[in-house]
Each structure stands twice: as structure tokens, then as C-alpha cells.
Amino acid sequence: MEKMPYRDELQQAVVLSTTETVVTSDWQQGLPTLRGSQVLLRELRASDAASLFALLTTEEVSRFISPPPSTVEGFERFIAWTSRQRAAGTYACFAVTVAGFDTAIGIFQVRSTEPGFATAEWGFAIGSDFWGTGVFQDGAALVLDFAFDTIGVHRLEARAAVRNGRGNSALQKMGAVQECRLRNSFLKNGEYIDQVLYALLDTDWRGSRSPITASSARVH
Ligand SMILES: CC(C)(COP(=O)(O)OP(=O)(O)OC[C@H]1O[C@@H](n2cnc3c(N)ncnc32)[C@H](O)[C@@H]1OP(=O)(O)O)[C@@H](O)C(=O)NCCC(=O)NCCS
């Protein structure tokens, strides 16, 4: 997900027709805390705004994603928005913390792209001090388990700018399959750039789960 879905203009109420499937699950009341070997993923809190602002607004992190909020207050509004979307059952955003520390150093997002959450899109951004440390892969495995096993996603898509070598490799490492090139699909700094569309199916993920990943435990 190159595009952080939160925008001020997206804050209108969503009216669902009575024929649409609405996903109802405990995670809508509050996200579970997910523990990996290196990371702990938890619900975002307003107090995460300062660290997320500091770590996710750097040039190297934001180079290939849509502009993150430009102030700490903007991140606070984003965090409040994530909570409302989670309660509505359309979106989940986890704070990434390193085991033993409570500071949010990144986020993983999953959003429904159709009623019922069968098809969804995920995205992620982690502070660059933590790149190449295994934090991404550990957290991504937890989020994939959550998406497929808890939410019930069938097909999980992601978009990565073609020039985002790190983002493309990260998705491929998790088993995401490159499906097509989306020409001029993303406006960045006044220029339309191409993206790659990736997808991971629930069957792909279940077939590839390693014993290490499967042993990751849910805290509550
Ligand atoms: C995407 C992100 C979360 C991945 O986390 P990370 O810690 O960098 O990921 P990893 O190091 O586990 O994996 C990245 C892989 O890309 C490889 N890589 C690094 N630079 C690369 C490049 N220019 N081209 C191709 N691959 C590259 C790394 O070697 C690594 O592979 P390896 O583990 O097999 O060696 C992180 O880079 C990030 O936050 N980027 C900015 C936000 C972003 O672009 N998000 C959208 C992604 S679609």
C-alpha cells in the first residue's frame, strides 16, 4: 500500500446497504497484541504520534509512499482515524514495537477493498534504523497470520513503486506474487510513476508458513 489511506476528506460516514456482508469480529473492538521473536505489534495510541512522526517522515522512508502527516498533530488525527476504521470493520493498523520497548517504530496496515474483507490491501513503513534487522519479516508474518486467520482475508494485495527496490524485495520475501505493472498509477512529487501489483492468497501463505512463524504467539 503505497498510499496511506487516511485523508481528512475520507472521514465521512460509510453507509452500507442491507445486502452487503459486514465482517463482525472481536478485533473490531480492539486489535489483539501479536508477539513475534523480535517484535510486538499492538493497537496504535495517541502517544505514538511523536515517534511515528520522527521515524516515518524522513526522506528515505517516505520516498515511495504518499506523504505521511506532516505534524505530530496530524499523526494524532491519523491514529484516531485508524481506531474509527477498525471499529467499523474495514481496516486494521498495528504499531510495530521492538520486544522490550514500547516505542512505535513503524506501522502495518490492512484495509478491506471490498465489503466482507475477502480482498484486502496491506502496507507498511518502518523507521530506517530498523531496516535489514529482521523486524519487517517478523512483523509481516504476524500481520499475514492476522489477515488470513483472524480477519478471513482470501486475497491480499499490495502495490509497490517499481523503483522501490526494498519494498518490492520485502513483498517477494513474504511470498507475494507479482501480477502486473500498473502504469502511471501513483502520483509522487508531481510525477506519475508505475507500480507493481502483488497478491498473496490465503492458500499461498498457509502453504509457506514456517514452524518459526507458526510458533508466534498471541498475547491476548
Ligand atoms: C518496506 C520496509 C518496511 C521493508 O523493511 P526492511 O527492513 O527494509 O526489509 P528487509 O531488509 O527485511 O527486506 C528488504 C530486502 O530488500 C533488499 N534490498 C535492499 N535494497 C534493495 C534494492 N535497492 N533493490 C532490491 N532489493 C533491495 C534487502 O537486501 C532485503 O532482502 P534480504 O533480506 O533478502 O537481503 C522498509 O524498507 C520501509 O519502511 N520502507 C519505506 C516505506 C515503504 O516503502 N513502504 C512501502 C513498501 S511497498
Side-chain angles (χ1 to χ4, degrees):
M1 192 184 314
E2 297 292 342
K3 298 174 185 172
M4 191 174 277
Y6 168 76
R7 290 287 177 275
D8 281 340
E9 66 269 20
L10 293 180
Q11 294 193 67
Q12 70 264 12
V14 175
V15 180
L16 297 170
S17 82
T18 52
T19 56
E20 287 178 328
T21 309
V22 179
V23 175
T24 313
S25 165
D26 283 353
W27 65 267
Q28 289 181 235
Q29 313 306 317
L31 293 180
T33 300
L34 308 175
R35 191 199 299 273
S37 57
Q38 295 187 55
V39 301
L40 188 137
L41 306 185
R42 60 162 172 76
E43 180 105 35
L44 283 165
R45 305 181 195 122
S47 56
D48 295 323
S51 65
L52 292 178
F53 169 73
L55 294 171
L56 303 188
T57 59
T58 62
E59 206 282 320
E60 56 188 344
V61 171
S62 59
R63 185 177 304 156
F64 296 115
I65 59 177
S66 58
S70 57
T71 60
V72 173
E73 293 71 29
F75 268 93
E76 286 171 354
R77 286 193 294 277
F78 165 69
I79 291 165
W81 176 86
T82 67
S83 173
R84 292 195 297 277
Q85 297 301 303
R86 185 257 300 138
T90 57
Y91 173 86
C93 185
F94 287 95
V96 181
T97 68
V98 177
F101 299 89
D102 193 41
T103 306
I105 59 148
I107 56 171
F108 280 93
Q109 312 178 83
V110 183
R111 79 175 175 98
S112 173
T113 57
E114 64 174 27
F117 238 128
T119 305
E121 184 176 24
W122 69 316
F124 31 76
I126 291 172
S128 54
D129 287 350
F130 298 88
W131 292 3
T133 62
V135 159
F136 164 74
Q137 199 164 358
D138 194 32
L142 295 170
V143 171
L144 292 174
D145 280 347
F146 175 79
F148 292 123
D149 295 344
T150 303
I151 299 183
V153 171
H154 169 60
R155 172 184 162 88
L156 188 62
E157 299 177 348
R159 295 170 180 225
V162 169
R163 297 201 291 254
N164 187 355
R166 237 188 149 93
N168 281 275
S169 294
L171 283 162
Q172 289 165 16
K173 260 166 57 164
M174 301 314 297
V177 175
Q178 193 170 320
E179 293 194 335
C180 65
R181 186 179 186 113
L182 303 168
R183 294 179 303 152
N184 279 9
S185 54
F186 184 48
L187 183 61
K188 184 69 187 173
N189 297 332
E191 177 198 6
Y192 281 105
I193 61 176
D194 293 357
Q195 295 173 299
V196 180
L197 176 68
Y198 286 89
L200 186 62
L201 304 183
D202 51 358
T203 45
D204 298 334
W205 177 243
R206 290 187 182 119
S208 70
R209 257 193 294 222
S210 72
I212 292 170
T213 306
S215 69
S216 298
R218 177 181 289 200
V219 175
H220 68 78

